Amino acid sequence: MKSIFKKIINLFLIFIYIINFINEKNIKVQSSNVVDTDINSSSNLILNYNININNNNNNNNNNNNNNNLNKLFKKNNKNKKLIIGYSLSDDLNYYNNSNYNGFNDFNNQDKYSGSIIWESIDILLIPRDLKNLKEIIKIAHSNQVLVSLMVSYNEIQGYKSIEIMDTSIDVIINQIKEVEADGASLYFKFPVDINYNLKILKFSQALKRNIVSSHLSVSLPLKIGNYDVKSISTNCDFIMVNAYDLDSSFDLARPNSDGVFVRNEIYKYWITQKLIDPNKLILSIPWYGYQFKCNNNNINNNNIYDEPYNIFLSSCKIDLNSKRKLYYKDIIQYKNGLGSGYKTSMELWNINSRTPYLNYQLDQNGDIYQIQYDNAKSTYYKLAETGLLGCAIWRIDSIYGIPNVEVRNLYNSIDRSLFGNTFNKDYQLY
């Protein structure tokens, strides 16, 4: 009897040992996952201990994020999509458009043309150093629009010091509280240090701890490389994918935001490869363009760029020194042929990129310039039937002062109903 009892005790001890062994293995596996393996770095940092503080509560985090997103939707937002407007303007006339009646007043050509249409956006995203910051936030809130402040990732200091990191985060959070903003958007300037996930997590925790109903977004480039965007998406409410300034050409003038390329990257990289829920992605798109001087008339007849050198040319061999950013107020002047001293092709369409462009030629010396930009049609193409959470516009204040009919077209192209619930990879618009 004693021997049987002894065997039972031994079996029980063996069972306990096995359970402990398994738990230790799990802890080690979780610990190894803490390091940002997507970044090629041999640095052995002291901050790795804490990146996955909530590793066992990822499901809870996702549920909390979903609940937090629900707080961002207006009561009449049946589509559950977010329209975000970047603005750098400090002009209170732009925000406080008391003489402007939104979609009922597009024939009004007064000084308020191009003013912000509050009913069409959900979140206003502005810098933290605006002179009229508090007043702008009050105006936005009076129009049932939330305000998020732009925060550079580099402002979160502390490479190997938790204390320095916490202190720099507290300074930013205190300002957000003081001006009564509703959230923050971290934007990256790459490359970043290996602790980027920890910084995002700690910033998010501090923000939610101090402002319970706040939201946090992270702004990342469309082409991001080997960064752990899955973890980033877990530690914020949504990711803003920047689909602009994509042209790195040294030969031809090319689109600032190629629509076909953008849709392919969102589907193949962000959704398929990185497995990011489309409902956690905001696509940031441009309302501006770039102007180039064309040097085609200096090319010999055997060059592939050879075509009649006139205002209807499509391939613009560029002078790199002539590239400059243009906003809508200037683009529309050339598109509509306003002013004198030049002739214009008016708006042309690039079927390969689903983006517009135009050419104009100076009367004085015959030089031809090409402007690559986005309009309502190209904006609509990038967003339609993507299933994304919404879009962000860089920048809505750039259309201040343009004709109201142009304003209407642009705002119609970001309507909350066009996104759909799933990504249609076969969607076409010619």
Side-chain angles (χ1 to χ4, degrees):
M1 187 70 179
K2 287 183 179 181
S3 61
I4 294 174
F5 181 75
K6 190 173 183 179
K7 287 180 179 179
I8 293 174
I9 294 297
N10 288 336
L11 288 172
F12 179 76
L13 292 174
I14 292 172
F15 175 76
I16 294 298
Y17 174 80
I18 293 172
I19 293 298
N20 289 335
F21 178 79
I22 293 174
N23 286 337
E24 287 179 4
K25 284 287 186 182
N26 286 337
I27 291 172
K28 288 179 179 178
V29 169
Q30 289 181 2
S31 175
S32 66
N33 286 338
V34 164
V35 181
D36 297 305
T37 54
D38 278 1
I39 297 182
N40 296 323
S41 173
S42 58
S43 301
N44 185 18
L45 304 181
I46 65 171
L47 302 183
N48 290 336
Y49 82 98
N50 206 0
I51 292 181
N52 283 344
I53 291 175
N54 295 326
N55 217 27
N56 295 325
N57 296 316
N58 280 342
N59 291 332
N60 291 334
N61 283 344
N62 290 333
N63 290 334
N64 289 336
N65 284 338
N66 291 334
N67 292 333
N68 203 50
L69 284 179
N70 288 330
K71 299 176 183 178
L72 305 182
F73 302 127
K74 295 179 179 179
K75 291 182 180 180
N76 61 348
N77 188 349
K78 298 178 181 179
N79 300 106
K80 302 297 183 184
K81 301 297 180 182
L82 294 176
I83 307 300
I84 301 172
Y86 282 95
S87 177
L88 304 185
S89 176
D90 216 351
D91 183 357
L92 291 179
N93 285 326
Y94 171 65
Y95 301 101
N96 195 17
N97 49 359
S98 56
N99 292 345
Y100 187 71
N101 297 319
F103 285 109
N104 298 319
D105 197 23
F106 279 102
N107 293 320
N108 184 359
Q109 295 295 325
D110 66 13
K111 66 179 181 178
Y112 292 97
S113 64
S115 291
I116 189 169
I117 302 180
W118 291 108
E119 65 198 63
S120 295
I121 66 171
D122 303 285
I123 299 174
L124 180 67
L125 190 49
I126 54 179
R128 294 161 46 222
D129 59 354
L130 294 180
K131 178 182 176 182
N132 295 313
L133 183 61
K134 288 186 177 181
E135 291 84 352
I136 293 170
I137 292 174
K138 288 179 181 178
I139 295 171
H141 286 166
S142 70
N143 287 279
Q144 291 77 55
V145 169
L146 302 175
V147 178
S148 188
L149 300 186
M150 299 166 61
V151 178
S152 170
Y153 171 84
N154 296 330
E155 293 180 71
I156 304 177
Q157 301 172 6
Y159 185 55
K160 291 188 177 183
S161 170
I162 293 293
E163 289 75 18
I164 294 176
M165 186 184 299
D166 287 340
T167 300
S168 65
I169 289 174
D170 287 342
V171 170
I172 299 170
I173 300 297
N174 286 338
Q175 186 199 13
I176 296 173
K177 288 177 63 177
E178 180 188 352
V179 299
E180 298 183 353
D182 306 287
S185 181
L186 281 174
Y187 61 93
F188 278 43
K189 289 186 178 180
F190 291 91
V192 296
D193 60 76
I194 197 172
N195 288 311
Y196 63 95
N197 256 327
L198 175 59
K199 288 185 177 181
I200 295 171
L201 175 61
K202 290 185 73 63
F203 189 91
S204 176
Q205 290 175 333
L207 184 65
K208 302 296 174 66
R209 185 170 58 249
N210 286 274
I211 310 172
V212 177
S213 61
S214 62
H215 62 274
L216 174 67
S217 63
V218 176
S219 178
L220 301 173
L222 180 68
K223 297 283 288 184
I224 191 174
N226 293 326
Y227 286 82
D228 186 5
V229 295
K230 188 69 173 178
S231 294
I232 292 176
S233 71
T234 300
N235 295 331
C236 66
D237 294 300
F238 52 87
I239 292 177
M240 301 173 67
V241 182
N242 301 330
Y244 45 77
D245 290 347
L246 302 178
D247 172 35
S248 57
S249 171
F250 294 96
D251 53 357
L252 292 177
R254 301 184 191 276
N256 174 33
S257 180
D258 184 316
V260 174
F261 177 77
V262 169
R263 287 185 70 98
N264 285 340
E265 282 296 301
I266 288 292
Y267 180 73
K268 292 180 179 179
Y269 177 81
W270 289 89
I271 297 176
T272 304
Q273 181 180 337
K274 292 299 184 179
L275 301 176
I276 306 299
D277 181 358
N279 206 40
K280 289 205 71 171
L281 294 176
I282 294 284
L283 186 62
S284 298
I285 52 181
W287 279 358
Y288 64 90
Y290 285 96
Q291 173 184 276
F292 306 85
K293 181 181 179 182
C294 303
N295 286 337
N296 297 43
N297 58 336
N298 297 325
I299 299 173
N300 62 56
N301 292 330
N302 296 322
N303 197 289
I304 61 171
Y305 309 126
D306 183 48
E307 62 176 304
Y309 186 68
N310 58 45
I311 58 172
F312 295 104
L313 63 83
S314 57
S315 298
C316 172
K317 176 67 177 177
I318 61 176
D319 178 350
L320 285 177
N321 294 325
S322 71
K323 181 178 180 180
R324 71 184 183 98
K325 183 180 288 187
L326 286 184
Y327 285 101
Y328 253 91
K329 198 169 184 179
D330 296 316
I331 294 172
I332 285 174
Q333 299 291 317
Y334 291 112
K335 188 186 81 167
N336 296 335
L338 303 178
S340 60
Y342 67 95
K343 54 185 176 181
T344 177
S345 66
M346 303 188 75
E347 190 165 85
L348 303 172
W349 183 252
N350 184 338
I351 189 62
N352 295 317
S353 62
R354 311 298 200 274
T355 55
Y357 67 99
L358 65 85
N359 304 312
Y360 69 90
Q361 186 172 26
L362 298 178
D363 295 339
Q364 184 176 5
N365 55 19
D367 285 344
I368 293 178
Y369 292 81
Q370 186 169 101
I371 302 174
Q372 296 273 352
Y373 60 104
D374 275 271
N375 62 5
K377 183 178 179 180
S378 64
T379 298
Y380 183 94
Y381 173 74
K382 291 181 183 70
L383 303 175
E385 298 184 28
T386 56
L388 301 180
L389 175 62
C391 73
I393 301 299
W394 183 275
R395 309 171 351 235
I396 57 172
D397 61 312
S398 68
I399 65 173
Y400 188 30
I402 72 172
N404 285 326
V405 64
E406 300 280 357
V407 176
R408 175 179 59 191
N409 290 337
L410 288 168
Y411 272 99
N412 282 341
S413 71
I414 57 172
D415 188 82
R416 299 177 186 89
S417 63
L418 64 88
F419 294 90
N421 297 318
T422 58
F423 193 101
N424 180 3
K425 60 184 179 65
D426 298 318
Y427 179 78
Q428 297 294 338
L429 179 68
Y430 295 102

